[in-house]
Amino acid sequence: MNWLGDHSSDWLPGINSGLTSRAVLTTSERTVAVGKDGAPLLLAIDDPLILDYEPHLAGTLNGVTYYGVRCPEIAGLNYEALRPVLVQLDSDGFIPVSAAMQVLDFIEEHRFCGRCGKETSASVSDRGRHCEPCGLTQYPRISPCVIVLITRGDEILLARAPRFVDGMYSTLAGFVEAGESAEHACHREIREEVGVRIKSPVYQGSQSWPFKHSLMLGYWAEWDSGEIEIDGEEIVDAQWFHIKKLPKLPPHASISRGMIDAYVKYRLN
Ligand SMILES: [Zn+2]
C-alpha cells in the first residue's frame, strides 16, 4: 500500500493573493460561527458585524484569501464546536478553517514572551510573535504526532480511547517526544498502548489536524509479534477486526479513515 492522501489543493499559508477575502469567526472556546447548513460562515472581510475586531491572515486558496477573527459570540449567529464542523468538510473547506483556528490560537496564547514575560507583537517579516526586549521570536506551534495502521493479513488492529464517540474504533496515535524520530515514536507508542511489536513502519502521508496543533504523520506497519494488552486508561479496548467486518470508523476527513479505506481497497483488489 502507498497511500499519500489528496494534497492537490493549492493552499498558500500566510499569503494574501486572493481576489476576494473571507473571514472565519471563532471564539476562545474554539467554536465556529456556522450558517443554516452547518458549514462555517464565511463573512466578507468588511462585514459590519466584525468591524470592531482585527482579522488575522490565514492564507489563500483558489483565489480566496481567508482570515480568522476571534471575538465573543455575536448575537444572532449560530456557533458549533470545531470538530463536528470540520469533519464534514472536504479538504478545500477544511484547510482554511483549520489554519485560521491554529493561527488565532497561537496569537491568543503567545501575547506574552515565554522567556521574559513582556508583551509580544506580530513579527514584520514572518508569522512569528516577536519580543522586543529580549529578542525572542515564537512561531505557531506544530506538534508532530504519529498515527499507525497495524495490519495482519486481512485484519486491522483498531482501538478505542475513552473520549471516542460510542462504538468508534481508530488507528493508534501518539505524540513524537523530544529526541525521538517518527519511527521510534511508532514502535514505542504501539508497545505502550497495545503491547504488540510491529515491523518497520512505512510512511503513508500527513495531515494538519487542529486538535490542537497536530501534524499527523501516517504510517502503515505490519504486526510482528505479541498479543494485545491494553492499560484500560488511555486505551479502553483494542481488537483485531477483519476488513469485511469493521466497527464504526473515524470520519472520512481524517487520515486514520483514509489509511483504513486504502488498506481495505488494497486487500480486496
Ligand atoms: Zn522576551
Side-chain angles (χ1 to χ4, degrees):
M1 184 175 74
N2 184 21
W3 179 80
L4 288 169
D6 173 19
H7 303 281
S8 55
S9 296
D10 200 7
W11 171 246
L12 304 168
I15 305 282
N16 172 0
S17 63
L19 296 172
T20 55
S21 296
R22 289 285 178 267
V24 179
L25 264 62
T26 78
T27 66
S28 293
E29 290 73 40
R30 307 189 95 220
T31 60
V32 183
V34 295
K36 285 198 172 66
D37 58 355
L41 202 59
L42 299 171
L43 293 181
I45 199 79
D46 55 358
D47 191 297
L49 279 177
I50 51 171
L51 277 187
D52 289 344
Y53 304 102
E54 190 184 352
H56 294 280
L57 176 63
T60 299
L61 179 68
N62 301 331
V64 180
T65 297
Y66 292 89
Y67 288 81
V69 171
R70 180 151 288 181
C71 60
E73 288 195 1
I74 295 172
L77 299 184
N78 291 320
Y79 287 81
E80 291 285 348
L82 177 63
R83 191 181 292 263
V85 171
L86 268 187
V87 297
Q88 60 174 339
L89 300 173
D90 63 14
S91 71
D92 282 3
F94 187 106
I95 293 170
V97 179
S98 165
M101 186 63 84
Q102 292 185 64
V103 166
L104 294 167
D105 287 343
F106 166 67
I107 294 167
E108 188 174 75
E109 293 166 6
H110 292 80
R111 290 181 297 141
F112 298 94
C113 176
R115 184 158 64 190
C116 76
K118 298 286 192 308
E119 245 180 272
T120 62
S121 55
S123 166
V124 287
S125 55
D126 53 35
R127 310 188 78 196
R129 299 285 301 176
H130 185 66
C131 173
E132 201 60 49
C134 84
L136 181 69
T137 303
Q138 298 174 88
Y139 295 92
R141 198 191 318 172
I142 296 168
S143 304
C145 182
V146 293
I147 182 158
V148 190
L149 175 79
I150 308 167
T151 63
R152 187 170 67 182
D154 278 343
E155 292 178 307
I156 302 177
L157 200 167
L158 299 170
R160 265 188 68 70
R163 65 176 188 282
F164 285 5
V165 295
D166 272 357
M168 191 186 91
Y169 283 73
S170 182
T171 49
L172 291 152
F175 288 106
V176 179
E177 300 288 343
E180 229 179 14
S181 68
E183 289 79 5
H184 279 142
C186 291
H187 287 289
R188 177 183 54 76
E189 277 290 338
I190 300 309
R191 272 202 314 275
E192 282 176 6
E193 294 195 346
V194 288
V196 305
R197 289 188 175 269
I198 52 172
K199 293 181 181 168
S200 294
V202 182
Y203 181 66
Q204 297 292 307
S206 67
Q207 181 183 35
S208 175
W209 190 245
F211 305 101
K212 198 171 177 187
H213 30 64
S214 302
L215 177 64
M216 307 304 289
L217 304 169
Y219 284 85
W220 167 40
E222 288 182 294
W223 173 81
D224 180 64
S225 61
E227 297 303 320
I228 295 174
E229 215 174 290
I230 56 164
D231 63 8
E233 286 176 20
E234 221 178 317
I235 298 295
V236 289
D237 189 30
Q239 298 178 34
W240 288 105
F241 291 95
H242 192 277
I243 54 167
K244 288 186 176 167
K245 226 178 158 188
L246 292 171
K248 186 171 181 177
L249 298 172
H252 287 281
S254 65
I255 186 170
S256 174
R257 182 59 175 271
M259 291 195 297
I260 294 168
D261 287 352
Y263 187 71
V264 170
K265 201 171 154 195
Y266 163 75
R267 291 296 296 185
L268 294 177
N269 274 342

